[in-house]
Amino acid sequence: VQLVESGGGLVQAGESLKLSCVASGMAFTINRMGWYRQAPGKQRELVALITNGGGNPNYADSVKGRFTISRDYAKNAMYLQMNSLKPEDTAMYYCNAKGDYEFSRFDAWGQGTQVTVSS
């Protein structure tokens, strides 16, 4: 499975961005997708998770109420709507997908998209 993110950029504090992640490949099923981020000098952290079959998405406390994760199952896509952005949201954002091939599992990462929020 290959994941390609897009939508990052440079914005001012209080503005919005929408990230996209599209999965491609042969004969796969995605069970869970998520967004992670990594700021310079810091560890990669979970931003939001969404699983198949319903259930509420999970969010990091720092983004609750500002970010919304969603899926388009027909397009094998995932999105992250980011509102009221803060300078501390500045990071490289990565898409992750976990799922199954016919006889094995996968844990795939995208190449990342940079989000920079100026004060």
Side-chain angles (χ1 to χ4, degrees), residues 20-50:
S20 299
C21 172
V22 178
S24 64
M26 296 290 290
F28 64 91
T29 300
I30 294 175
N31 299 321
R32 188 179 79 177
M33 295 189 79
W35 289 99
Y36 293 75
R37 66 186 182 187
Q38 187 168 18
K42 295 187 177 181
Q43 290 188 333
R44 189 172 296 189
E45 63 175 357
L46 172 67
V47 177
L49 277 176
I50 187 166

Side-chain angles (χ1 to χ4, degrees), residues 11-19 37 47 59 62-69 80-87 89 93 115 117:
V11 297
Q12 292 188 332
E15 295 184 339
S16 300
L17 279 175
K18 185 175 183 178
L19 305 183
R37 66 186 182 187
V47 177
Y59 295 96
S62 58
V63 307
K64 283 180 181 177
R66 299 188 298 121
F67 290 11
T68 302
I69 189 172
L80 186 68
Q81 178 66 46
M82 304 186 294
N83 299 329
S84 302
L85 282 161
K86 303 175 180 180
D89 294 318
Y93 283 71
V115 172
V117 184

